[in-house]
Coordinates of all heavy atoms in Angstrom, one line a residue:
V1 N 3.0 -78.6 -104.5 CA 4.3 -79.2 -104.9 C 4.6 -78.7 -106.2 O 3.8 -78.8 -107.2 CB 4.3 -80.7 -104.9 CG1 5.5 -81.3 -105.4 CG2 3.9 -81.2 -103.5
N2 N 5.8 -78.1 -106.4 CA 6.2 -77.6 -107.7 C 7.2 -78.5 -108.3 O 8.1 -79.0 -107.6 CB 6.9 -76.2 -107.6 CG 5.9 -75.1 -107.3 OD1 4.7 -75.2 -107.7 ND2 6.3 -74.1 -106.5
L3 N 7.0 -78.9 -109.6 CA 7.9 -79.7 -110.3 C 8.6 -78.8 -111.3 O 8.0 -78.1 -112.0 CB 7.1 -80.8 -111.1 CG 6.3 -81.7 -110.3 CD1 5.5 -82.6 -111.2 CD2 7.1 -82.6 -109.4
K4 N 9.9 -78.9 -111.2 CA 10.7 -78.1 -112.1 C 11.5 -79.0 -113.0 O 12.2 -79.9 -112.6 CB 11.7 -77.1 -111.4 CG 10.9 -76.1 -110.6 CD 11.8 -75.1 -109.9 CE 11.0 -74.1 -109.1 NZ 11.8 -73.2 -108.4
V5 N 11.4 -78.8 -114.3 CA 12.1 -79.6 -115.3 C 12.8 -78.6 -116.3 O 12.1 -77.7 -116.7 CB 11.1 -80.5 -116.1 CG1 11.8 -81.3 -117.2 CG2 10.3 -81.3 -115.2
N6 N 14.0 -78.9 -116.6 CA 14.7 -77.9 -117.5 C 14.2 -78.2 -118.9 O 13.6 -79.2 -119.2 CB 16.2 -78.0 -117.3 CG 16.8 -79.4 -117.8 OD1 16.3 -80.0 -118.7 ND2 17.8 -79.8 -117.2
Q7 N 14.5 -77.3 -119.8 CA 14.0 -77.3 -121.2 C 14.5 -78.6 -121.9 O 13.8 -79.1 -122.7 CB 14.5 -76.1 -122.0 CG 13.9 -74.8 -121.5 CD 12.4 -74.8 -121.8 OE1 11.8 -75.6 -122.4 NE2 11.7 -73.7 -121.3
A8 N 15.6 -79.1 -121.6 CA 16.1 -80.3 -122.3 C 15.2 -81.5 -121.9 O 15.1 -82.4 -122.7 CB 17.6 -80.6 -121.9
Q9 N 14.6 -81.5 -120.7 CA 13.8 -82.6 -120.3 C 12.3 -82.4 -120.7 O 11.6 -83.4 -120.7 CB 13.9 -82.8 -118.8 CG 15.3 -83.2 -118.4 CD 15.3 -83.3 -116.8 OE1 14.5 -82.7 -116.2 NE2 16.3 -84.1 -116.3
G10 N 11.9 -81.3 -121.0 CA 10.5 -81.1 -121.4 C 9.9 -79.9 -120.7 O 10.6 -79.1 -120.1
P11 N 8.6 -79.7 -120.9 CA 7.9 -78.6 -120.3 C 7.9 -78.6 -118.8 O 8.0 -79.6 -118.2 CB 6.5 -78.7 -120.9 CG 6.3 -80.1 -121.2 CD 7.7 -80.6 -121.6
T12 N 7.7 -77.4 -118.2 CA 7.6 -77.3 -116.8 C 6.2 -77.4 -116.3 O 5.3 -76.8 -116.9 CB 8.2 -75.9 -116.3 OG1 9.5 -75.8 -116.8 CG2 8.2 -75.7 -114.8
A13 N 6.0 -78.2 -115.3 CA 4.6 -78.3 -114.7 C 4.6 -77.5 -113.5 O 5.5 -77.5 -112.6 CB 4.3 -79.8 -114.4
K14 N 3.5 -76.7 -113.3 CA 3.4 -75.8 -112.2 C 3.0 -76.5 -110.9 O 3.3 -76.1 -109.8 CB 2.3 -74.7 -112.4 CG 2.7 -73.8 -113.5 CD 1.7 -72.8 -113.8 CE 2.0 -71.9 -115.0 NZ 0.9 -71.1 -115.4
S15 N 2.4 -77.6 -111.0 CA 2.0 -78.4 -109.8 C 1.8 -79.8 -110.2 O 1.8 -80.2 -111.3 CB 0.6 -77.8 -109.3 OG -0.4 -78.2 -110.2
T16 N 1.7 -80.6 -109.1 CA 1.5 -82.1 -109.3 C 0.2 -82.3 -110.1 O 0.2 -83.2 -111.0 CB 1.4 -82.8 -108.0 OG1 2.6 -82.5 -107.3 CG2 1.2 -84.3 -108.1
E17 N -0.8 -81.5 -109.9 CA -2.1 -81.7 -110.6 C -1.9 -81.5 -112.1 O -2.4 -82.2 -112.9 CB -3.1 -80.7 -110.1 CG -4.5 -80.9 -110.7 CD -5.5 -79.9 -110.0 OE1 -5.7 -80.0 -108.8 OE2 -6.1 -79.2 -110.8
D18 N -1.1 -80.4 -112.5 CA -0.8 -80.2 -113.9 C -0.1 -81.4 -114.5 O -0.4 -81.9 -115.6 CB 0.0 -79.0 -114.1 CG -0.7 -77.7 -113.8 OD1 -2.0 -77.7 -113.8 OD2 -0.1 -76.6 -113.7
A19 N 0.8 -81.9 -113.8 CA 1.6 -83.1 -114.2 C 0.7 -84.3 -114.4 O 0.8 -85.0 -115.4 CB 2.7 -83.4 -113.3
I20 N -0.2 -84.5 -113.4 CA -1.1 -85.7 -113.5 C -2.1 -85.5 -114.7 O -2.3 -86.5 -115.4 CB -1.9 -85.9 -112.2 CG1 -0.9 -86.3 -111.1 CG2 -3.0 -86.9 -112.3 CD1 -1.5 -86.3 -109.7
S21 N -2.6 -84.4 -114.9 CA -3.6 -84.2 -115.9 C -3.0 -84.3 -117.3 O -3.7 -84.5 -118.3 CB -4.3 -82.8 -115.8 OG -3.4 -81.8 -116.0
R22 N -1.7 -84.2 -117.4 CA -1.0 -84.3 -118.7 C -0.5 -85.7 -119.0 O -0.1 -86.0 -120.1 CB 0.2 -83.4 -118.8 CG -0.3 -81.9 -118.8 CD 0.9 -81.0 -118.8 NE 0.4 -79.7 -118.4 CZ 1.0 -78.6 -118.8 NH1 2.1 -78.6 -119.5 NH2 0.5 -77.4 -118.5
E23 N -0.6 -86.6 -118.0 CA -0.2 -88.0 -118.2 C -1.1 -88.7 -119.2 O -2.3 -88.4 -119.3 CB -0.3 -88.8 -116.9 CG 0.8 -88.5 -115.9 CD 0.6 -89.3 -114.7 OE1 -0.3 -90.1 -114.6 OE2 1.5 -89.1 -113.8
K24 N -0.5 -89.6 -120.0 CA -1.3 -90.4 -120.8 C -2.0 -91.5 -120.0 O -1.4 -92.0 -119.1 CB -0.5 -91.0 -122.0 CG 0.0 -89.9 -122.9 CD 0.8 -90.6 -124.0 CE 1.2 -89.5 -125.0 NZ 2.0 -90.0 -126.1
P25 N -3.2 -91.9 -120.4 CA -3.8 -93.0 -119.6 C -2.9 -94.3 -119.7 O -2.3 -94.6 -120.7 CB -5.1 -93.3 -120.4 CG -5.4 -92.0 -121.1 CD -4.0 -91.4 -121.4
A26 N -2.9 -95.0 -118.6 CA -2.2 -96.3 -118.6 C -2.8 -97.3 -119.5 O -4.0 -97.4 -119.6 CB -2.2 -96.8 -117.1
A27 N -1.9 -97.9 -120.3 CA -2.4 -99.0 -121.2 C -2.6 -100.2 -120.3 O -1.8 -100.6 -119.5 CB -1.3 -99.3 -122.2
T28 N -3.7 -100.9 -120.6 CA -4.1 -102.1 -119.8 C -4.5 -103.2 -120.8 O -5.0 -102.9 -121.8 CB -5.2 -101.8 -118.8 OG1 -6.3 -101.4 -119.5 CG2 -4.8 -100.8 -117.8
N29 N -4.2 -104.4 -120.4 CA -4.6 -105.5 -121.2 C -5.6 -106.3 -120.4 O -5.6 -107.5 -120.3 CB -3.4 -106.4 -121.5 CG -2.5 -105.7 -122.4 OD1 -2.9 -104.9 -123.3 ND2 -1.2 -105.9 -122.3
I30 N -6.5 -105.6 -119.7 CA -7.5 -106.2 -118.9 C -8.8 -106.5 -119.7 O -9.3 -105.6 -120.4 CB -7.9 -105.3 -117.7 CG1 -6.6 -105.0 -116.9 CG2 -9.0 -105.9 -116.8 CD1 -6.8 -104.0 -115.8
A31 N -9.3 -107.7 -119.6 CA -10.5 -108.1 -120.3 C -11.7 -107.4 -119.5 O -11.7 -107.3 -118.3 CB -10.7 -109.6 -120.3
P32 N -12.6 -106.9 -120.3 CA -13.8 -106.3 -119.7 C -14.5 -107.3 -118.8 O -14.6 -108.4 -119.0 CB -14.7 -105.9 -120.8 CG -13.8 -106.0 -122.0 CD -12.7 -106.9 -121.7
I33 N -15.1 -106.7 -117.7 CA -15.9 -107.5 -116.8 C -17.2 -107.8 -117.4 O -17.8 -107.0 -118.1 CB -16.1 -106.8 -115.5 CG1 -14.7 -106.5 -114.8 CG2 -17.0 -107.5 -114.5 CD1 -14.8 -105.5 -113.7
S34 N -17.7 -109.0 -117.2 CA -19.0 -109.4 -117.8 C -20.1 -108.5 -117.4 O -20.2 -108.2 -116.2 CB -19.3 -110.8 -117.4 OG -20.6 -111.2 -117.9
G35 N -20.8 -107.9 -118.3 CA -21.9 -106.9 -118.0 C -21.4 -105.5 -117.7 O -22.2 -104.7 -117.4
A36 N -20.1 -105.3 -117.7 CA -19.5 -104.0 -117.4 C -19.6 -103.1 -118.7 O -19.6 -103.6 -119.8 CB -18.1 -104.1 -116.9
E37 N -19.6 -101.8 -118.5 CA -19.5 -100.8 -119.6 C -18.2 -100.1 -119.5 O -17.6 -100.0 -118.4 CB -20.7 -99.8 -119.4 CG -22.0 -100.3 -119.7 CD -23.1 -99.2 -119.7 OE1 -22.9 -98.3 -120.4 OE2 -24.0 -99.3 -118.9
T38 N -17.7 -99.7 -120.6 CA -16.5 -98.9 -120.6 C -16.9 -97.4 -120.7 O -17.8 -97.0 -121.4 CB -15.6 -99.3 -121.9 OG1 -15.3 -100.6 -121.8 CG2 -14.4 -98.4 -121.9
Y39 N -16.2 -96.6 -119.9 CA -16.5 -95.2 -119.8 C -15.2 -94.5 -120.1 O -14.2 -94.8 -119.5 CB -17.1 -94.8 -118.5 CG -17.3 -93.3 -118.3 CD1 -18.4 -92.7 -118.9 CD2 -16.4 -92.5 -117.7 CE1 -18.6 -91.4 -118.8 CE2 -16.6 -91.1 -117.6 CZ -17.7 -90.6 -118.2 OH -17.9 -89.2 -118.1
I40 N -15.2 -93.5 -120.9 CA -14.0 -92.7 -121.2 C -14.1 -91.4 -120.4 O -15.1 -90.6 -120.5 CB -13.8 -92.4 -122.7 CG1 -13.7 -93.7 -123.4 CG2 -12.6 -91.5 -122.9 CD1 -13.5 -93.6 -124.9
V41 N -13.1 -91.1 -119.5 CA -13.1 -90.0 -118.6 C -13.0 -88.7 -119.4 O -12.2 -88.5 -120.4 CB -11.9 -90.0 -117.7 CG1 -11.8 -88.8 -116.8 CG2 -12.0 -91.3 -116.8
K42 N -13.9 -87.7 -119.0 CA -13.9 -86.4 -119.7 C -13.4 -85.4 -118.6 O -13.4 -85.6 -117.4 CB -15.3 -86.1 -120.1 CG -15.9 -87.0 -121.1 CD -17.3 -86.6 -121.4 CE -18.1 -87.7 -122.2 NZ -18.3 -88.9 -121.4
R43 N -13.1 -84.2 -119.1 CA -12.6 -83.1 -118.2 C -13.7 -82.8 -117.2 O -14.9 -82.7 -117.5 CB -12.3 -81.9 -119.1 CG -11.8 -80.8 -118.3 CD -11.5 -79.6 -119.1 NE -11.0 -78.5 -118.2 CZ -10.1 -77.6 -118.6 NH1 -9.7 -77.6 -119.8 NH2 -9.7 -76.7 -117.8
G44 N -13.3 -82.7 -115.9 CA -14.2 -82.4 -114.9 C -14.8 -83.6 -114.2 O -15.6 -83.5 -113.2
D45 N -14.6 -84.8 -114.8 CA -15.2 -86.0 -114.2 C -14.6 -86.4 -112.8 O -13.4 -86.1 -112.6 CB -15.0 -87.2 -115.1 CG -16.0 -87.3 -116.2 OD1 -17.1 -86.7 -116.1 OD2 -15.8 -88.1 -117.2
T46 N -15.3 -86.9 -112.0 CA -14.9 -87.5 -110.7 C -15.6 -88.9 -110.6 O -16.5 -89.2 -111.3 CB -15.3 -86.7 -109.5 OG1 -16.8 -86.7 -109.4 CG2 -14.8 -85.2 -109.6
L47 N -15.0 -89.7 -109.8 CA -15.7 -91.0 -109.6 C -17.1 -90.8 -109.1 O -18.0 -91.6 -109.4 CB -14.9 -91.9 -108.7 CG -13.5 -92.4 -109.2 CD1 -12.9 -93.4 -108.2 CD2 -13.8 -93.2 -110.6
A48 N -17.3 -89.8 -108.2 CA -18.7 -89.6 -107.7 C -19.6 -89.2 -108.9 O -20.8 -89.7 -108.9 CB -18.6 -88.5 -106.7
K49 N -19.2 -88.4 -109.8 CA -20.0 -88.0 -110.9 C -20.3 -89.2 -111.8 O -21.5 -89.4 -112.3 CB -19.4 -86.9 -111.8 CG -19.4 -85.5 -111.2 CD -18.8 -84.5 -112.1 CE -18.7 -83.1 -111.5 NZ -18.0 -82.2 -112.4
I50 N -19.3 -90.0 -112.0 CA -19.5 -91.2 -112.9 C -20.4 -92.2 -112.2 O -21.3 -92.7 -112.9 CB -18.1 -91.8 -113.2 CG1 -17.3 -90.8 -114.0 CG2 -18.3 -93.1 -113.9 CD1 -15.8 -91.2 -114.2
S51 N -20.3 -92.4 -110.9 CA -21.2 -93.3 -110.2 C -22.6 -92.8 -110.2 O -23.5 -93.6 -110.5 CB -20.7 -93.3 -108.7 OG -21.6 -94.1 -107.9
K52 N -22.8 -91.5 -110.1 CA -24.1 -90.9 -110.1 C -24.8 -91.1 -111.5 O -26.0 -91.4 -111.6 CB -24.1 -89.4 -109.8 CG -25.3 -88.9 -109.2 CD -25.1 -87.5 -108.6 CE -26.3 -87.2 -107.7 NZ -26.1 -85.9 -107.1
Q53 N -23.9 -91.0 -112.6 CA -24.4 -91.2 -113.9 C -24.9 -92.6 -114.2 O -25.9 -92.8 -114.8 CB -23.3 -90.8 -114.9 CG -23.7 -91.0 -116.4 CD -22.6 -90.6 -117.3 OE1 -21.7 -89.8 -117.0 NE2 -22.6 -91.2 -118.5
F54 N -24.1 -93.6 -113.7 CA -24.4 -95.0 -114.0 C -25.4 -95.6 -113.0 O -26.2 -96.5 -113.3 CB -23.1 -95.8 -114.1 CG -22.4 -95.6 -115.4 CD1 -21.5 -94.6 -115.5 CD2 -22.7 -96.4 -116.4 CE1 -20.8 -94.4 -116.7 CE2 -22.0 -96.2 -117.7 CZ -21.1 -95.2 -117.8
Y55 N -25.3 -95.2 -111.7 CA -26.1 -95.8 -110.6 C -27.1 -95.0 -110.0 O -27.9 -95.4 -109.2 CB -25.1 -96.4 -109.5 CG -24.0 -97.3 -110.0 CD1 -22.7 -97.0 -109.8 CD2 -24.3 -98.4 -110.8 CE1 -21.7 -97.8 -110.2 CE2 -23.3 -99.2 -111.2 CZ -22.0 -98.9 -110.9 OH -21.0 -99.7 -111.4
G56 N -27.1 -93.7 -110.3 CA -28.1 -92.8 -109.8 C -27.7 -92.2 -108.4 O -28.5 -91.4 -107.8
N57 N -26.6 -92.6 -107.9 CA -26.1 -92.2 -106.6 C -24.6 -92.3 -106.5 O -24.0 -92.8 -107.5 CB -26.8 -92.9 -105.4 CG -26.5 -94.4 -105.5 OD1 -25.4 -94.9 -105.6 ND2 -27.6 -95.2 -105.4
T58 N -24.0 -91.9 -105.4 CA -22.5 -92.0 -105.3 C -22.0 -93.2 -104.6 O -20.8 -93.4 -104.3 CB -22.0 -90.7 -104.6 OG1 -22.5 -90.7 -103.3 CG2 -22.3 -89.4 -105.3
N59 N -22.9 -94.1 -104.3 CA -22.6 -95.4 -103.6 C -21.6 -96.3 -104.4 O -21.0 -97.2 -103.8 CB -23.8 -96.2 -103.2 CG -24.7 -95.4 -102.2 OD1 -24.2 -94.5 -101.6 ND2 -25.9 -95.7 -102.2
G60 N -21.5 -96.1 -105.7 CA -20.6 -96.9 -106.5 C -19.2 -96.5 -106.7 O -18.4 -97.1 -107.4
V61 N -18.8 -95.4 -106.0 CA -17.4 -94.9 -106.1 C -16.4 -96.0 -105.8 O -15.5 -96.2 -106.5 CB -17.2 -93.6 -105.2 CG1 -15.8 -93.3 -105.1 CG2 -18.0 -92.5 -105.8
T62 N -16.6 -96.6 -104.6 CA -15.6 -97.6 -104.2 C -15.6 -98.8 -105.2 O -14.5 -99.3 -105.5 CB -15.9 -98.1 -102.8 OG1 -15.9 -97.0 -101.9 CG2 -14.9 -99.1 -102.3
R63 N -16.7 -99.2 -105.6 CA -16.8 -100.3 -106.6 C -16.1 -100.0 -107.9 O -15.3 -100.8 -108.4 CB -18.3 -100.6 -106.8 CG -18.6 -101.8 -107.6 CD -20.1 -102.1 -107.6 NE -20.3 -103.3 -108.3 CZ -21.5 -103.7 -108.7 NH1 -22.5 -102.9 -108.5 NH2 -21.6 -104.8 -109.4
I64 N -16.3 -98.8 -108.4 CA -15.6 -98.4 -109.7 C -14.1 -98.3 -109.4 O -13.3 -98.8 -110.3 CB -16.2 -97.0 -110.2 CG1 -17.7 -97.1 -110.6 CG2 -15.4 -96.5 -111.3 CD1 -18.4 -95.8 -110.8
F65 N -13.7 -97.7 -108.3 CA -12.3 -97.6 -108.0 C -11.7 -99.0 -107.9 O -10.6 -99.3 -108.5 CB -12.1 -96.8 -106.7 CG -10.6 -96.7 -106.3 CD1 -9.7 -96.0 -107.1 CD2 -10.1 -97.4 -105.2 CE1 -8.4 -95.9 -106.7 CE2 -8.8 -97.4 -104.9 CZ -7.9 -96.6 -105.6
T66 N -12.3 -99.9 -107.2 CA -11.8 -101.2 -107.0 C -11.6 -102.0 -108.3 O -10.6 -102.6 -108.5 CB -12.7 -102.0 -106.0 OG1 -12.8 -101.3 -104.8 CG2 -12.1 -103.4 -105.8
V67 N -12.6 -101.9 -109.2 CA -12.5 -102.6 -110.5 C -11.4 -102.0 -111.3 O -10.8 -102.8 -112.1 CB -13.9 -102.5 -111.2 CG1 -13.8 -102.9 -112.6 CG2 -14.9 -103.3 -110.4
N68 N -11.1 -100.8 -111.2 CA -10.1 -100.1 -112.0 C -8.8 -99.8 -111.3 O -8.0 -99.0 -111.7 CB -10.7 -98.8 -112.6 CG -11.8 -99.0 -113.5 OD1 -11.6 -99.4 -114.7 ND2 -13.0 -98.9 -113.0
K69 N -8.6 -100.5 -110.2 CA -7.4 -100.3 -109.3 C -6.1 -100.4 -110.0 O -5.1 -99.7 -109.6 CB -7.5 -101.2 -108.1 CG -6.8 -100.6 -106.9 CD -7.1 -101.4 -105.6 CE -6.5 -100.7 -104.4 NZ -7.0 -101.3 -103.2
T70 N -6.0 -101.2 -111.0 CA -4.7 -101.4 -111.6 C -4.3 -100.1 -112.4 O -3.1 -99.9 -112.6 CB -4.7 -102.6 -112.6 OG1 -5.7 -102.4 -113.6 CG2 -4.9 -103.9 -111.9
Q71 N -5.2 -99.3 -112.8 CA -4.8 -98.1 -113.5 C -5.1 -96.8 -112.7 O -4.7 -95.7 -113.1 CB -5.5 -98.0 -114.8 CG -7.0 -98.0 -114.8 CD -7.6 -97.8 -116.2 OE1 -7.0 -97.2 -117.0 NE2 -8.8 -98.4 -116.4
L72 N -5.9 -96.9 -111.6 CA -6.1 -95.8 -110.7 C -5.4 -95.9 -109.5 O -5.7 -96.7 -108.6 CB -7.6 -95.7 -110.4 CG -8.6 -95.4 -111.5 CD1 -10.0 -95.5 -111.0 CD2 -8.3 -94.1 -112.2
K73 N -4.3 -95.1 -109.3 CA -3.5 -95.2 -108.1 C -4.2 -94.3 -107.0 O -4.0 -94.5 -105.9 CB -2.1 -94.7 -108.4 CG -1.4 -95.5 -109.5 CD -1.4 -97.0 -109.2 CE -0.7 -97.7 -110.3 NZ -1.2 -99.0 -110.5
N74 N -4.9 -93.3 -107.5 CA -5.5 -92.3 -106.6 C -7.0 -92.1 -107.1 O -7.1 -91.7 -108.3 CB -4.7 -91.0 -106.7 CG -5.3 -89.9 -105.8 OD1 -6.5 -89.9 -105.4 ND2 -4.5 -88.9 -105.5
P75 N -8.0 -92.3 -106.3 CA -9.4 -92.1 -106.8 C -9.7 -90.7 -107.2 O -10.7 -90.4 -107.8 CB -10.2 -92.6 -105.7 CG -9.4 -92.5 -104.5 CD -7.9 -92.7 -104.9
Y76 N -8.8 -89.7 -106.8 CA -9.1 -88.3 -107.1 C -8.3 -87.8 -108.3 O -8.3 -86.6 -108.7 CB -8.8 -87.4 -105.9 CG -9.6 -87.9 -104.7 CD1 -9.0 -88.6 -103.7 CD2 -11.0 -87.6 -104.6 CE1 -9.8 -89.0 -102.6 CE2 -11.7 -88.0 -103.6 CZ -11.1 -88.7 -102.6 OH -11.9 -89.2 -101.5
A77 N -7.5 -88.7 -109.0 CA -6.6 -88.2 -110.1 C -7.0 -89.0 -111.3 O -6.3 -89.8 -111.8 CB -5.2 -88.5 -109.7
L78 N -8.2 -88.7 -111.9 CA -8.6 -89.3 -113.2 C -7.9 -88.5 -114.3 O -7.6 -87.3 -114.2 CB -10.1 -89.2 -113.3 CG -10.9 -89.8 -112.3 CD1 -12.4 -89.7 -112.6 CD2 -10.6 -91.3 -112.1
V79 N -7.6 -89.2 -115.4 CA -6.9 -88.6 -116.5 C -7.9 -88.6 -117.7 O -8.5 -89.6 -118.0 CB -5.7 -89.4 -116.9 CG1 -5.0 -88.8 -118.1 CG2 -4.7 -89.5 -115.7
V80 N -8.1 -87.4 -118.3 CA -8.9 -87.3 -119.5 C -8.5 -88.3 -120.5 O -7.3 -88.4 -120.8 CB -8.9 -85.8 -120.0 CG1 -9.7 -85.7 -121.3 CG2 -9.4 -84.8 -119.0
G81 N -9.5 -89.0 -121.0 CA -9.2 -90.0 -122.0 C -9.0 -91.4 -121.5 O -9.0 -92.4 -122.2
Q82 N -8.9 -91.5 -120.2 CA -8.7 -92.8 -119.5 C -10.0 -93.6 -119.7 O -11.1 -93.1 -119.6 CB -8.4 -92.5 -118.0 CG -7.9 -93.7 -117.2 CD -7.5 -93.2 -115.9 OE1 -8.0 -92.2 -115.3 NE2 -6.5 -93.8 -115.3
Q83 N -9.8 -94.9 -119.9 CA -11.0 -95.8 -120.0 C -11.2 -96.6 -118.7 O -10.3 -97.3 -118.2 CB -10.7 -96.8 -121.1 CG -10.7 -96.2 -122.5 CD -10.6 -97.2 -123.6 OE1 -10.9 -98.4 -123.4 NE2 -10.3 -96.7 -124.8
L84 N -12.4 -96.4 -118.2 CA -12.7 -97.1 -116.9 C -13.8 -98.2 -117.2 O -14.7 -97.9 -118.0 CB -13.3 -96.1 -115.9 CG -12.4 -95.0 -115.5 CD1 -13.1 -94.0 -114.5 CD2 -11.1 -95.5 -114.9
E85 N -13.7 -99.3 -116.5 CA -14.7 -100.3 -116.6 C -15.8 -99.9 -115.5 O -15.4 -99.7 -114.3 CB -14.2 -101.7 -116.3 CG -13.3 -102.2 -117.4 CD -14.0 -102.3 -118.8 OE1 -15.1 -102.7 -118.8 OE2 -13.3 -101.9 -119.8
I86 N -17.0 -99.9 -115.9 CA -18.1 -99.6 -114.9 C -18.9 -100.9 -114.7 O -19.5 -101.4 -115.7 CB -19.0 -98.5 -115.4 CG1 -18.2 -97.3 -115.9 CG2 -20.1 -98.1 -114.4 CD1 -17.4 -96.6 -114.8
P87 N -18.8 -101.5 -113.5 CA -19.5 -102.8 -113.3 C -21.0 -102.6 -113.4 O -21.5 -101.5 -113.1 CB -19.1 -103.2 -111.9 CG -18.2 -102.1 -111.4 CD -18.1 -101.0 -112.4
A88 N -21.7 -103.6 -113.8 CA -23.1 -103.6 -113.9 C -23.7 -103.5 -112.5 O -23.1 -103.8 -111.5 CB -23.6 -104.9 -114.5
K89 N -24.9 -103.0 -112.4 CA -25.6 -102.7 -111.1 C -25.7 -104.0 -110.4 O -25.9 -105.1 -110.8 CB -27.0 -102.1 -111.3 CG -26.9 -100.7 -111.8 CD -28.3 -100.1 -111.9 CE -28.2 -98.7 -112.3 NZ -29.5 -98.1 -112.4

């Protein structure tokens, strides 16, 4: 999908992925979950990679997504700098 924006509106994004990766993380006023850790998304991160880092396997993907559902509309569209709550094991 190509997004075209004229110069008066801002830069042109070549694809939806480019547009998503340039979005600022959603501001949230959510209190951290008891025992949860906060993780800041880095370039190249996926929920599977994050799950593997915290739990040793990818079984936590759904859990991480569910806990962060208010700011994650798509589990495959993480934004660099976004803060995710990682529930305790």
